[in-house]
Amino acid sequence: MSLLQLQGVEASYGPAQALFGVDLEIGEGEVVALMGRNGMGKSTTIKTICGMLAASAGSLQFDGHDLRALPSHKIARLGIGLVPEGRRCFAPLTVEENLTAAARPGPWDMQRVAELFPRLEERRHQTAGSLSGGEQQMLTIGRALMTNPRLLILDEATEGLAPVVRQEIWAAIARLKADTGLAILVVDKSLRELSAVADHAVILNRGCNVWTGKISALEAKQADRYLGV
């Protein structure tokens, strides 16, 4: 059964249309990769799901709820946790304060987040602004998990990080898939890492669906056409 379903979604920034009939489906406990080159509609699709950009056409359903009828804060309360591009921690607040600021009742608490990212426990009383980029990304993921979502959306969660930190993030995503029933929508460019965790992928090009399937079935010429620089 679908947890999130987008059908024929269109969206615009003023007079400039950005999405042209996007389709996307995520089931309970499923990991889906949303892929495409920069500027092809991935972040716009996420903004539309989260109510930060209004859809001009199409259907957006989450667990039977019409997302087009809801403001972003009510969408979040339905169980959608967002890890936005660029981290966006609350820099003056401590790690603990960042995590508890958005906390909602459920299995994810400080202890469980610390088990996933031990560095956050070590830096519990440091301000977020004093952390490294990788630690801030761990904090942002932890903060989203503290909302106890049913769907976690990761928008370029490994971009700009050192290789060793990238691997820590990918290991955490794999652990989330293996140990929880959490559905995950992950935007990233790394085919190798995505193929290890994603059940299937959707590729966007110029705001349209151009490919859907298992990453293992993606041909080299398709990858070069839609994902190459």
Side-chain angles (χ1 to χ4, degrees):
M1 180 178 176
S2 295
L3 180 62
L4 175 73
Q5 187 174 55
L6 279 63
Q7 293 182 318
V9 171
E10 298 181 8
S12 301
Y13 295 99
Q17 188 168 350
L19 300 182
F20 300 83
V22 169
D23 297 328
L24 177 68
E25 190 169 343
I26 304 175
E28 295 271 9
E30 190 174 30
V31 178
V32 175
L34 182 60
M35 306 175 70
R37 293 192 299 271
N38 291 340
M40 294 299 155
K42 306 184 302 296
S43 290
T44 300
T45 299
I46 289 173
K47 289 178 182 177
T48 307
I49 292 169
C50 295
M52 294 180 284
L53 180 67
S56 56
S59 170
L60 294 95
Q61 296 282 326
F62 180 77
D63 193 29
H65 297 273
D66 180 7
L67 298 185
R68 291 187 64 184
L70 298 173
S72 56
H73 68 280
K74 290 189 176 180
I75 291 173
R77 288 175 186 168
L78 288 177
I80 296 179
L82 173 63
V83 178
E85 187 177 11
R87 296 183 277 278
R88 303 183 194 176
C89 300
F90 302 123
L93 302 184
T94 66
V95 167
E96 182 174 2
E97 288 168 340
N98 266 270
L99 292 173
T100 56
R104 299 184 67 208
W108 283 99
D109 55 17
M110 286 283 298
Q111 180 179 346
R112 194 171 181 190
V113 169
E115 290 171 359
L116 186 66
F117 295 120
R119 289 200 212 181
L120 297 182
E121 177 62 29
E122 295 169 8
R123 289 152 177 76
R124 185 171 185 151
H125 301 297
Q126 286 183 223
T127 61
S130 70
L131 303 179
S132 69
E135 290 164 350
Q136 288 182 359
Q137 189 63 281
M138 294 173 191
L139 177 57
T140 309
I141 295 171
R143 186 179 63 193
L145 290 171
M146 288 283 284
T147 69
N148 279 284
R150 296 177 64 192
L151 169 65
L152 180 67
I153 300 178
L154 300 160
D155 190 2
E156 302 283 8
T158 67
E159 186 174 32
L161 301 179
V164 65
V165 181
R166 286 171 54 87
Q167 291 309 309
E168 286 187 59
I169 300 295
W170 284 116
I173 295 171
R175 185 172 169 186
L176 288 173
K177 178 180 180 178
D179 298 346
T180 74
L182 192 61
I184 303 174
L185 175 62
V186 54
V187 174
D188 207 278
K189 300 180 181 68
S190 179
L191 279 172
R192 186 181 67 178
E193 281 82 6
L194 284 171
S195 63
V197 297
D199 296 292
H200 70 270
V202 173
I203 298 178
L204 301 183
N205 188 59
R206 297 181 180 178
C208 300
N209 288 69
V210 291
W211 190 89
T212 301
K214 290 186 176 295
I215 295 177
S216 60
L218 182 65
E219 297 178 359
K221 63 180 180 180
Q222 294 170 317
D224 184 63
R225 179 179 181 183
Y226 297 124
L227 305 175
V229 177

